[in-house]
């Protein structure tokens, strides 16, 4: 294996515990939906390439819910809504279906099903008022929607395994109640098949399986919320909570649960969100883990012996305990989750392989290990074909490349144990090497204080009481300790169901008080999550003609322009770089003013995709001149003009002649931000912006005062 670059994939499979204490069912459907898609697809693809050595990380909170569905008959809200015959749906049922049954990627899941696309178009036309669409749709419409939503959430493995699914996809519309029941039954059969295959693979030891803390808490913050002060000292902190015994429980019980499934303890640990601190090391070793993985930037920020060397294992000692740390390759791991789905498969794989080729391989006794670690279920709904073409080509390429050796992390460490040492481990997660996603904001800190109060009261109660009620109360508290509730607080991201995450978090804490006979605090009846900023689009209302001869824009230069303000991202989204787009047209040109702010950097590229009678892709490169200023460089032909202005603003004028309007009324517009040939952001992420050339060219009807 000398002279080869070692590459280890670890696919992280996780869901928070969605059980609603009030009903016993699951408030959100993601365990079942991913169970019929990504969880099955990823393992089946791995088993189709036995020469590929891969790792899977299974979180106990996910495994418990799979068992609840298959063995104890628990169901999620969307399953219950699907079960109801369409003609028997109440108005409230219909409103809920309209709200939840379009939770699918428009491009890859809705558009391939024409009837589903038409229903989604009706939803968009009805606006955000689900009640309006709920009244418009017929019983037949709702029956199709019930079926199509669940049909869209079947992966390539399920469709290959069950011809009934392929037949229903071909049917496309006019579904019967029996058709709908078939899809639900196949979801459950696929989940059972997948669970059996994971258990068999885990017991067989191939590929490698690892685990995470039981209910997926941020271990450093659970041990001590003041750990945040080390990596984000400027952030406000909640009232301090210290619960190292809770962190210990999540690790110990994760090992116990993992051993139930595999028959042996896990060697490796992916701490929730790659979050580490010195306090985590002895707790992980005490639980029997031999190594843990985090982000390479956390190791780079640690106090180490000698110079930092990426793609190498490290030894870390804390409180008399020592274990090995692996750093995930930050850029490549994030590329799989956030970038490659926006790029054609061959181009993305070529980028991946070229990046690997540039990494020094090390010598025979000290080879490099490139660890790719990310969510294993969430990315693939954004890829064409749910990721099958991409993954197949990726695994084929890696398997046939002579200078690549795929490996598991444990397998690599058996042959090449860590030599380098960390003196003082940095405290941080895979996101920006801090904990800002989960603590420091107003809503996040409010949630931590509510958790801390419940923990303190339950700890006090438990000194004199116990029994079944105590066990149930501790379980509810530990579910609330999970990271996902905190992820969706604040305006960083938007799941579309943030209020449900908030309600479940508070409901679990309220259940703690109820079980121990205490009065539920009034604060737990009030939402923590406040309505956040969503993407906002204001269409153009008048013709515009910015003066490109001036190095500055006035307010009047863009009066009449449309405005696009990006919103927070979803689960598989990074905080965006693009801040604002102004857009509009005259009778000759289309104009854009794109604000990147401090994120405008040399080497980036803007791709403006416009379509009317014909389509045009306009590439504008950002280059730094000898004076240090960033300049915008437009194509040499076509008459496109581009300028970079102060404060990270880029403006462009695109001749409408490039689009061959020829009677077309609407121009559709998308802006992509690229780096190294990869699309790192697309705005808007789904439907393009539109310019209505008739209303846009009308004189302004808004008075200026």
């Amino acid at each position: 294996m000398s002279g080869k670059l070692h590459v280890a994939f670890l696919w992280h499979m996780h869901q928070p515990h969605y059980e609603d204490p009030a009903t016993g069912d699951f408030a959100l459907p993601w365990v079942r939906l991913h169970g019929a898609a990504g969880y099955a697809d990823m393992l089946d693809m791995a088993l189709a390439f036995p020469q590929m050595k891969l790792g899977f990380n299974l979180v106990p909170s996910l495994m418990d819910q799979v068992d609840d569905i298959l063995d104890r008959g628990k169901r999620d809200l969307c399953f219950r809504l699907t079960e109801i015959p369409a003609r028997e749906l109440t108005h409230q049922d219909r409103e809920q279906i309209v709200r939840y049954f379009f939770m699918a990627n428009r491009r890859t899941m809705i558009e391939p099903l024409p009837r589903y696309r038409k229903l989604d178009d009706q939803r968009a036309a009805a606006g955000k008022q689900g009640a309006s669409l709920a009244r418009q749709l017929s019983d037949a419409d709702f029956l199709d929607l019930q079926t199509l939503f669940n049909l869209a959430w079947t992966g390539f493995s399920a469709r290959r395994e069950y011809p009934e699914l392929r037949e229903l996809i071909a049917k496309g519309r006019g579904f019967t109640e029996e058709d709908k029941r078939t899809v639900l039954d196949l979801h459950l059969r696929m989940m059972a098949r997948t669970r059996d295959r994971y258990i068999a693979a885990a017991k067989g030891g191939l590929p490698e399986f690892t685990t995470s803390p039981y209910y997926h808490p941020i271990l450093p913050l659970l041990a001590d919320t003041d750990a945040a002060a080390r990596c984000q000292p400027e952030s406000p902190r909640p009232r301090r909570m210290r619960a190292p015994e809770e962190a210990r429980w999540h690790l110990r019980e994760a090992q116990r649960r993992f051993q139930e499934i595999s028959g042996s303890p896990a060697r490796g640990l992916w701490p929730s969100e790659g979050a580490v601190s010195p306090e985590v090391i002895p707790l992980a070793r005490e639980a029997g883990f031999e190594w843990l993985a985090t982000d390479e930037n956390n190791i780079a920020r640690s106090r180490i012996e000698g110079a930092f060397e990426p793609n190498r294992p490290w030894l870390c000692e804390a409180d008399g305990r020592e274990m090995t740390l692996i750093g995930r390759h930050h850029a490549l791991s994030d590329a799989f989750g956030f970038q490659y789905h926006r790029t054609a498969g061959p181009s993305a794989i070529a980028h991946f392989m070229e990046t690997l080729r540039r990494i020094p391989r090390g010598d025979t006794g000290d080879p490099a290990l490139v660890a790719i670690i990310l969510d294993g279920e969430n990315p693939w709904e954004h890829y064409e074909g749910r990721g099958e073409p991409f993954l197949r080509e990726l695994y084929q390429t890696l398997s046939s490349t002579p200078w690549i050796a795929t490996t598991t992390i444990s397998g690599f460490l058996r042959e090449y144990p860590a030599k380098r040492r960390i003196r003082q481990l940095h405290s941080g997660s895979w996101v920006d090497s801090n904990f800002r996603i989960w603590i420091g904001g107003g809503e996040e800190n409010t949630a931590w204080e509510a958790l801390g109060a419940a923990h303190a009261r339950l700890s006090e109660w438990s000194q004199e009481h116990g029994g079944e009620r105590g066990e149930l109360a501790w379980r509810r508290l530990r579910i609330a300790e999970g990271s996902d509730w905190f992820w969706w607080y604040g305006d960083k991201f938007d799941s579309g169901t943030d209020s449900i995450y908030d309600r479940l978090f508070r409901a679990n804490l309220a259940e703690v008080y109820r079980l121990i006979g205490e009065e539920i605090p009034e604060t737990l009846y009030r939402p923590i999550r406040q309505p956040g900023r969503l993407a906002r689009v204001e269409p153009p209302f008048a013709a515009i003609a910015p003066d490109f001869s001036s190095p500055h824009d006035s307010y009047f230069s863009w009066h009449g322009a449309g405005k696009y303000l990006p919103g927070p991202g979803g689960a598989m989204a990074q905080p965006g770089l693009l801040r604002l787009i102004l857009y509009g047209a005259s009778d000759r040109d289309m104009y854009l003013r794109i604000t990147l702010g401090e994120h405008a950097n040399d080497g980036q590229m803007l791709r403006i995709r416009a379509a009317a009678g014909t389509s045009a892709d306009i590439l504008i490169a950002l280059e730094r001149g000898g004076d240090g200023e960033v300049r915008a460089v437009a194509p040499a032909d076509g008459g496109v003009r581009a300028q970079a202005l102060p404060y990270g603003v880029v403006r462009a004028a695109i001749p409408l002649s490039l689009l061959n309007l020829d009677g077309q009324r609407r121009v559709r517009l998308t802006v992509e931000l690229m780096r190294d040939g990869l699309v790192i952001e697309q705005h808007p992420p789904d439907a393009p912006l539109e310019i209505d050339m008739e209303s846009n060219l009308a004189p302004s009807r808004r008075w200026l005062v």
Side-chain angles (χ1 to χ4, degrees), residues 526-572:
R526 297 195 297 268
I528 297 172
R529 183 75 173 97
Q530 300 301 311
R533 176 175 65 84
L534 301 178
R536 191 170 80 239
V537 178
E538 298 176 9
F541 63 87
I544 60 174
D547 181 6
F548 273 54
S549 66
S550 170
H552 303 287
D553 282 326
S554 71
Y555 167 78
F556 300 103
S557 300
W558 295 87
H559 178 72
K563 179 186 292 186
Y564 168 75
L565 186 66
M572 291 305 298

Side-chain angles (χ1 to χ4, degrees), residues 638-651:
V640 176
R641 292 171 288 161
Q643 296 174 340
L645 305 183
Y647 308 110
V649 172
V650 177
R651 63 185 181 184

Side-chain angles (χ1 to χ4, degrees), residues 80-221:
R80 299 294 191 199
L81 288 169
T82 304
E83 284 185 309
I84 302 171
R87 66 181 181 279
E88 297 177 13
L89 292 168
T90 66
H91 184 68
Q92 182 181 7
D93 296 334
R94 291 169 182 250
E95 288 182 340
Q96 288 186 305
I97 287 173
V98 168
R99 177 183 181 187
Y100 297 124
F101 279 42
F102 293 100
M103 295 191 301
N105 185 281
R106 165 82 184 193
R107 178 177 60 86
T108 63
M109 299 172 68
I110 293 178
E111 290 184 356
L113 300 167
R115 171 68 165 143
Y116 200 9
R117 181 178 68 240
K118 183 178 179 181
L119 290 167
D120 192 41
D121 289 342
Q122 289 180 254
R123 178 189 63 85
K128 295 185 180 297
Q129 300 303 316
S132 172
L133 185 62
R135 287 190 294 268
Q136 293 175 21
L137 297 183
S138 66
D139 290 350
D141 291 332
F142 272 102
L143 181 53
D144 279 356
L145 181 54
Q146 287 172 309
T147 307
L148 287 164
F149 168 67
N150 290 282
L151 195 56
W153 277 99
T154 54
F156 56 80
S157 289
R159 295 178 186 188
R160 185 178 297 114
E161 181 83 6
Y162 302 113
E164 301 98 309
L165 292 175
R166 300 194 298 274
E167 292 166 3
L168 290 173
I169 290 170
K171 182 175 182 178
R173 62 183 302 146
F175 297 108
T176 66
E177 292 290 342
E178 183 180 356
D179 292 336
K180 184 178 68 175
R181 184 71 247 178
T182 295
V183 179
L184 287 180
D185 288 345
L186 291 177
H187 272 212
L188 299 179
R189 285 170 60 185
M190 195 65 190
M191 287 185 68
R193 168 193 177 275
T194 301
R195 179 179 65 174
D196 291 345
R197 299 193 80 180
Y198 270 101
I199 291 173
K203 289 181 176 178
L206 186 69
E208 177 174 36
F209 284 82
T210 58
T211 194
S212 291
Y214 205 100
Y215 289 113
H216 209 260
I218 302 297
L219 290 176
L221 298 180

Side-chain angles (χ1 to χ4, degrees), residues 432-454:
D432 297 332
S433 291
N434 58 41
F435 305 120
R436 195 169 284 113
I437 294 291
W438 303 275
I439 197 169
E443 292 179 359
E444 295 90 335
N445 288 353
T446 297
W448 277 107
E449 292 190 353
L451 179 65

Side-chain angles (χ1 to χ4, degrees), residues 254-574:
Q255 273 287 29
R256 178 194 60 76
R257 184 72 169 96
F258 184 88
Q259 195 159 353
E260 282 181 359
I261 293 172
S262 67
S264 59
R267 292 189 178 92
L269 171 73
W270 172 246
S272 315
E273 307 293 356
V276 293
S277 67
E279 292 82 359
V280 170
I281 300 302
L283 296 175
R285 283 299 290 146
E286 179 185 315
F289 295 101
E290 298 174 8
W291 59 264
L292 66 78
T294 185
D295 194 85
E296 63 182 357
N297 291 332
N298 290 326
I299 298 176
R301 286 170 168 78
S302 298
R303 189 156 52 89
I304 58 177
E305 292 183 0
F308 172 69
E309 294 183 70
N311 307 309
R312 296 296 193 281
W314 293 78
L315 289 170
C316 182
E317 182 178 342
D319 198 21
R321 298 272 193 159
E322 183 178 80
M323 72 184 308
T324 299
L325 268 63
I326 297 292
R328 76 190 274 272
H329 194 291
H330 184 89
L332 285 178
S333 298
D334 284 4
F336 280 90
F338 307 123
Q339 298 167 17
Y340 285 160
H341 68 85
R342 297 189 178 102
T343 306
S347 299
I349 292 170
H351 175 273
F352 177 64
M353 297 303 293
E354 177 60 21
T355 305
L356 291 180
R357 189 186 63 79
R358 295 176 183 175
I359 294 174
R361 302 176 196 174
D363 57 39
T364 303
D366 187 25
L369 172 67
V370 180
I372 310 296
I373 305 174
L374 71 149
D375 277 5
E377 74 273 74
N378 285 319
W380 311 113
E381 64 207 65
H382 302 279
Y383 282 72
E384 295 294 339
R386 297 201 64 93
E388 181 181 19
F390 176 85
L391 287 166
R392 190 172 297 280
E393 183 174 352
L394 173 69
Y395 289 176
Q396 286 173 341
T397 301
L398 289 169
S399 300
S400 61
T401 301
W403 50 270
I404 292 285
T406 59
T407 184
T408 62
I409 294 174
S410 292
F412 180 88
L413 292 175
R414 278 194 296 269
E415 193 165 353
Y416 306 105
K419 301 176 181 179
R420 296 159 181 80
R421 288 192 170 273
I422 297 171
R423 291 183 179 272
Q424 179 69 27
L425 180 62
H426 173 80
S427 298
S429 72
W430 73 268
V431 186
D432 297 332
S433 291
N434 58 41
F435 305 120
R436 195 169 284 113
I437 294 291
W438 303 275
I439 197 169
E443 292 179 359
E444 295 90 335
N445 288 353
T446 297
W448 277 107
E449 292 190 353
L451 179 65
H455 172 262
R457 186 65 198 99
L458 181 56
S459 297
E460 182 181 353
W461 181 90
S462 297
Q463 292 176 7
E464 298 181 3
H465 305 87
E468 183 180 2
R469 280 195 303 147
E471 291 177 5
L472 292 173
W474 279 108
R475 178 174 179 268
R476 287 295 163 190
L477 182 80
R478 286 157 180 161
I479 291 172
E481 290 168 353
S483 67
D484 294 79
W485 321 117
F486 299 89
W487 178 279
W488 297 112
Y489 283 127
D491 283 344
K492 308 172 294 292
F493 306 105
D494 174 41
S495 67
T497 54
D498 291 358
S499 61
I500 296 179
Y501 284 94
D502 177 30
R503 178 174 62 80
L504 288 176
F505 173 75
R506 291 182 290 109
N508 278 297
L509 293 184
E511 189 70 358
V512 171
Y513 290 97
R514 189 192 69 80
L515 284 165
I516 64 176
E518 297 273 343
E519 182 177 355
I520 297 172
E522 180 65 27
T523 53
L524 294 180
Y525 291 107
R526 297 195 297 268
I528 297 172
R529 183 75 173 97
Q530 300 301 311
R533 176 175 65 84
L534 301 178
R536 191 170 80 239
V537 178
E538 298 176 9
F541 63 87
I544 60 174
D547 181 6
F548 273 54
S549 66
S550 170
H552 303 287
D553 282 326
S554 71
Y555 167 78
F556 300 103
S557 300
W558 295 87
H559 178 72
K563 179 186 292 186
Y564 168 75
L565 186 66
M572 291 305 298
Q574 293 170 306

